[in-house]
Amino acid sequence: MGTTNTEQVQEFSVKTLLSTTGEYTIPVYQRNYAWEETQIRQLIKDIIDSLKKSSTKKYYIGTLIVDKTEINNKSLFETIDGQQRLTTLNILLIAIKNYPQFKHINTEWFERLNLSFSNRQKSEEALLDLFGNSKIESKKYNPSILDAYDLVISILNEEIKESGDVTIETFTDYLFHYVTILRVEVPPQTDLNHYFEIMNNRGEQLEKHEVLKARLLESFDFIKDLDVKEKNSHVFHTIWEACANMEKYVQYGFPVDVRHNLFDSNNWDNFKAENFDEVLNQFGEIKNQKHQEAQSIDQIIKKPVNDSSRENASDENPERFYSVINFSNFLLHVIRVTTKQDILLDDKKLLDSFEEIVNEKTDEEKMIFSQNFAFSLLKTKYLFDKFIIKRDTSKQKEEWSLSKMKNSKQQRGNSIAYTASYPNSFEDIHLNRQLVQLLSMFHVSIPTLSYKHWLNAALHYVYENPKTSAEDYINFLERTAETFIYNRIVAHEPQEYYKMIYHPQSMKLNNPIDITKFSFGSITNNLLFNYVDYLLWKREVNKESKDSKIMDFKFTSRSSVEHYYPQNPKEGFPKMKDLNALNCFGNLCLISHSKNSSLSNFSPLSKAEFYLKGDIDSIKQYIMLRNADNWDVEAIQDHQKEIFQLLKIENE
């Protein structure tokens, strides 16, 4: 049956979409497959979250916009929008079909691929050979597809363990039958190049934080005095907008005179206000000032999407710094830090979380809550900018930085100009570097925004201790890492993160460690590997004679667990018969997926020859490489003893 002149919309389960709905092709004008760990993890987490709410309710995963043609009586759908999600679903299903641990899952319906790539041979062959479980030689293929294939199973296992009550059986049943995608066909004779251009330049949907802002602003309607109401709304709006740009220091969100008053004209690094009223008092009369008025939800929806003009907004290069979190998730951290309530750090819950807090409040109480929250938001953003790492792109190579913002006065004729500088947050360069190592260790271990409990712990600490010393901050972060590892990641009875952060006194004392959670397949969080690397780096710092490779080590995103002695060695190299030694922590290290997939079957000596040529992925691996000549069961056990001594764990 042919299409009509209107767009056709159909919905399909994943099983139906990938088996019986026609052939899909990714046109050459689409960008290459580009999803990485963060996007893949979020997709799997969203599916699990929906499953936990209801195992029989459809979960709409998004939209495929396609152009349909008929070729030899078969339907071919050129995918205009949604290719990243469609490709990821195929990769996930291929991995479930291939991995031995899932052999009991019925994937017989997934008997052939119905996805292809126009004029992209490396992507085409990568997907086909993965589907056929063929021998993979990484140079032939699109590396992003191979990386995603390596990632999906480890992410799936981690997220299932994190969920508590979801199993692979319930997950796959829900994925196959209840995860639903909408397919929209564009009308015949559509100019696809023009349509694709529109799709890539379309306005973004209204963000949840914009809706929340409008709701909180509505609470000021309680104020009868129009001038007072206008000033409260204006100050709230200014604070919100100053904090919303996570890539810029919050000081830049205020006019210079207000900035001087709020943050000290001598240095801009001394937030002095104690409450909303004190912030309010730093603003003069607002009548006749040029500013963007606080807007209702209707006004926000109607305004042009790209209207981002704001006074005093561009004093610094807006692309210099990159934040470890977005604004919606940051709002959840602020409300958790200030109310100490156990709310989820998932921005899908943003509006619901605030609604639960203000639901029973009177109009006056809602107004007071909005004022208090605005102050807490400003204070937390100031502390976030000073005490949490950012990516700094000002140099040739991106680096992690822990910097505060200070001003510099310059006489220009008869006037004074102010410019910003970004010195280390702490004067002691070595302690500041140690804090960068600790904070980046946490961040790369837990990239998913809704799992950043380390960030919540750090913000809670600096909110209560805004004058902390570098030594005290280091001690706190080290204790937090140990608490997360010993009471959650390798504990017999894992504790909740909220409890560890806000009620540590109620935790079970001397929570016994489960040694089996150090074995391959049972390690649920990369923080375990990264904390070991941090301890090894710290040990090297304290030595008189230092190894430059260890001293120069920086934490990067690595999420592939490698067996240094390979599970399936190349021909001519024996398999290790002692599986306990093969899979124990002493034989494991954390490296990048690309390196693991290309070298996983090589001998320890061959790996050492390759890895020692450049920067190291892991300090733990580097120590293993130095014993490559004789990496056997005894060497593995000795290395494990060394690491356990570092962790102060008895090898039971």
Side-chain angles (χ1 to χ4, degrees), residues 261-274:
N261 294 333
L262 279 175
F263 302 103
D264 194 330
S265 61
N266 291 322
N267 59 21
W268 291 350
D269 183 41
N270 181 19
F271 181 61
K272 298 177 289 186
E274 296 290 337

Side-chain angles (χ1 to χ4, degrees), residues 404-427:
K404 58 188 176 183
M405 196 187 91
K406 296 194 73 174
N407 70 13
S408 301
K409 295 180 183 179
Q410 293 181 344
Q411 190 77 34
R412 293 181 180 174
N414 295 325
S415 62
I416 295 176
Y418 293 89
T419 58
S421 60
Y422 304 95
N424 288 337
S425 294
F426 296 96
E427 290 186 8

Side-chain angles (χ1 to χ4, degrees), residues 331-487:
L331 289 168
L332 290 166
H333 283 276
V334 175
I335 195 64
R336 204 183 201 207
V337 163
T338 54
T339 68
K340 298 180 172 51
Q341 293 188 29
D342 186 10
I343 64 169
L344 294 174
L345 300 174
D346 185 344
D347 65 350
K348 296 194 300 294
K349 313 291 185 185
L350 179 64
L351 296 176
D352 291 341
S353 296
F354 274 83
E355 190 60 37
E356 288 175 11
I357 291 169
V358 303
N359 190 35
E360 301 295 325
K361 295 184 183 296
T362 65
D363 288 343
E364 182 178 10
E365 288 170 338
K366 288 179 181 178
M367 178 200 69
I368 294 171
F369 174 83
S370 295
Q371 292 174 327
N372 291 339
F373 182 75
F375 171 76
S376 299
L377 175 62
L378 175 55
K379 178 180 176 181
T380 310
K381 180 60 164 66
Y382 163 75
L383 296 169
F384 174 90
D385 289 340
K386 185 174 182 177
F387 293 116
I388 304 298
I389 53 167
K390 288 182 171 68
R391 292 296 275 177
D392 187 348
T393 63
S394 63
K395 300 176 184 177
Q396 289 184 340
K397 187 178 180 181
E398 281 189 18
E399 297 283 356
W400 293 116
S401 71
L402 184 64
S403 307
K404 58 188 176 183
M405 196 187 91
K406 296 194 73 174
N407 70 13
S408 301
K409 295 180 183 179
Q410 293 181 344
Q411 190 77 34
R412 293 181 180 174
N414 295 325
S415 62
I416 295 176
Y418 293 89
T419 58
S421 60
Y422 304 95
N424 288 337
S425 294
F426 296 96
E427 290 186 8
D428 188 309
I429 188 172
H430 302 293
L431 295 178
N432 204 80
R433 170 79 198 287
Q434 188 172 350
L435 281 164
V436 169
Q437 291 288 71
L438 270 165
L439 291 163
S440 58
M441 170 200 76
F442 276 117
H443 174 61
V444 302
S445 300
I446 312 163
T448 306
L449 294 180
S450 53
Y451 291 158
K452 288 196 177 297
H453 298 285
W454 70 267
L455 177 58
N456 193 250
L459 289 174
H460 177 240
Y461 172 78
V462 296
Y463 196 89
E464 300 296 328
N465 303 277
K467 302 295 184 182
T468 184
S469 66
E471 293 89 346
D472 287 345
Y473 194 22
I474 287 169
N475 289 336
F476 168 77
L477 291 172
E478 288 181 343
R479 288 198 311 272
T480 299
E482 291 170 355
T483 300
F484 286 4
I485 290 171
Y486 301 141
N487 290 281

Side-chain angles (χ1 to χ4, degrees), residues 136-150:
I136 300 299
E137 297 177 7
S138 59
K139 292 182 180 179
K140 290 174 53 180
Y141 306 111
N142 179 338
S144 296
I145 289 178
L146 296 188
D147 285 350
Y149 181 76
D150 287 338

Side-chain angles (χ1 to χ4, degrees), residues 39 92 131 177 348 460 521 528 590:
Q39 295 97 328
L92 175 59
F131 183 85
H177 301 103
K348 296 194 300 294
H460 177 240
L528 181 59
L590 195 65

